[in-house]
Amino acid sequence: MSTPNRPYQHSPATRDALWVRWLLIFVAMIFVAMMLVVPLVSVFYEALKDGWQAYQSAITEPDSLSAIRLTLLTTAIILPINTIIGVALAYLITRHKFRGKFIITTLLDLPFAVSPVVAGLMFVLLFGANTVLGGFFESIGIQIIFATTGIVLATLFVTFPFIARELIPLMQAQGDSEEEAALTLGANGWQMFWKVTLPNIKWALLYGIILTNARAMGEFGAVSVVSGHIRGETNTMPLMIEIAYNEYAFTLAFALSSLLALLALLTLLVQRLMNHQQKH
């Protein structure tokens, strides 16, 4: 006979003492405050301590606007690419049996294992001006390293596993019984995907997109290697923050940092709204 599903702390055998619960809450709150809340508040304080006018001037100066535009452009390019690749990889891995699947699933985790700086260096060695591929692309008028193209490629490399890794466990747990039923009832492959597969994975897909968006906007290591740090051209927001801080332009550095922090908070808000919507 199965036992009713009830919360862990509601069982007398597993219930912690009151002092244990309060101690855990206290430790958690102190850690969160010191590691997350205090640094976040400090960023906004430093950004605004010279007044709103100084903050606005820092955000709207040409180099800042260029960094903001490049960051948003890079994110806008990689999100649809990552979405298509992520869904395709997840469908391939969970719905097909073939030789070499283990290799694909292993390589899918490569961006998590490789340092972003190493990833950027790999693109320099592959597409640099003195390489075969780099020389070929430059001969036809396409510059990759020290250009927006290289920044997009580097960001794409470090972000492409997020969506697939969100979808694969869910699609494996769901199985393919509903998809088989749709095909049995006369649906073709595209109808099955749009009417059955996509609705079943939509929340995990949106969550993966949010994670990809957050990582893309905040990526530093790989982008730093391939960008060349050209002011007004190849500096993203994280790179511009480093430059401003090293030049003691603290208002500019913290102003851009606050923008990234606001984007992160907005990402968390969207995630919480999604979780709430999913439960209802």
Side-chain angles (χ1 to χ4, degrees), residues 79 162-163 166 203-213 274:
L79 278 181
F162 284 96
I163 292 177
E166 286 297 320
W203 295 115
L205 177 59
L206 289 172
Y207 186 63
I209 291 173
I210 288 174
L211 290 178
T212 302
N213 178 76
M274 285 172 48

Side-chain angles (χ1 to χ4, degrees), residues 229-259:
H229 297 272
I230 304 173
R231 283 181 178 269
E233 294 185 24
T234 63
N235 279 331
T236 59
M237 290 174 68
L239 300 184
M240 193 62 206
I241 290 169
E242 183 200 31
I243 292 173
Y245 189 83
N246 289 337
E247 295 179 350
Y248 303 101
F250 296 126
T251 300
L252 173 57
F254 284 108
L256 289 175
S257 298
S258 69
L259 277 185

Side-chain angles (χ1 to χ4, degrees), residues 39-273:
L40 190 61
V41 171
S42 298
V43 167
F44 285 99
Y45 171 78
E46 292 292 335
L48 294 168
K49 71 176 184 179
D50 292 330
W52 175 254
Q53 190 65 37
Y55 179 88
Q56 190 176 24
S57 298
I59 293 296
T60 55
E61 72 168 42
D63 287 345
S64 297
L65 292 177
S66 174
I68 294 170
R69 281 194 297 267
L70 181 56
T71 301
L72 295 179
L73 174 63
T74 302
T75 304
I77 292 173
I78 69 160
L79 278 181
I81 298 175
N82 268 329
T83 300
I84 295 171
I85 293 176
V87 173
L89 281 173
Y91 190 86
L92 173 67
I93 291 171
T94 60
R95 297 297 185 261
H96 294 276
K97 293 182 179 179
F98 57 93
R99 291 182 179 180
K101 180 188 287 190
F102 173 76
I103 297 176
I104 293 179
T105 55
T106 301
L107 291 177
L108 191 59
D109 291 328
L110 185 63
F112 294 136
V114 174
S115 167
V117 175
V118 175
L121 182 60
M122 290 191 300
F123 282 104
V124 172
L125 295 176
L126 188 61
F127 296 110
N130 296 323
T131 64
V132 175
L133 284 176
F136 168 75
F137 282 112
E138 286 199 4
S139 68
I140 60 176
I142 300 175
Q143 183 177 351
I144 296 179
I145 303 303
F146 306 151
T148 302
T149 307
I151 293 173
V152 171
L153 287 175
T155 307
L156 187 64
F157 177 85
V158 299
T159 58
F160 86 87
F162 284 96
I163 292 177
R165 277 303 174 199
E166 286 297 320
L167 296 179
I168 290 172
L170 175 64
M171 294 178 70
Q172 288 175 334
Q174 288 177 342
D176 58 1
S177 58
E178 291 187 27
E179 294 165 349
E180 290 181 355
L183 294 174
T184 302
L185 293 173
N188 59 38
W190 281 110
Q191 289 173 332
M192 177 203 71
F193 176 78
W194 289 108
K195 300 294 184 180
V196 178
T197 304
L198 190 59
N200 286 341
I201 65 172
K202 63 180 181 180
W203 295 115
L205 177 59
L206 289 172
Y207 186 63
I209 291 173
I210 288 174
L211 290 178
T212 302
N213 178 76
R215 178 63 187 273
M217 289 189 297
E219 176 54 33
F220 178 84
V223 171
S224 178
V225 175
V226 302
S227 71
H229 297 272
I230 304 173
R231 283 181 178 269
E233 294 185 24
T234 63
N235 279 331
T236 59
M237 290 174 68
L239 300 184
M240 193 62 206
I241 290 169
E242 183 200 31
I243 292 173
Y245 189 83
N246 289 337
E247 295 179 350
Y248 303 101
F250 296 126
T251 300
L252 173 57
F254 284 108
L256 289 175
S257 298
S258 69
L259 277 185
L260 280 179
L262 283 174
L263 291 172
L265 292 174
L266 180 61
T267 300
L268 289 176
L269 177 61
V270 172
Q271 177 190 341
R272 296 304 301 173
L273 291 175

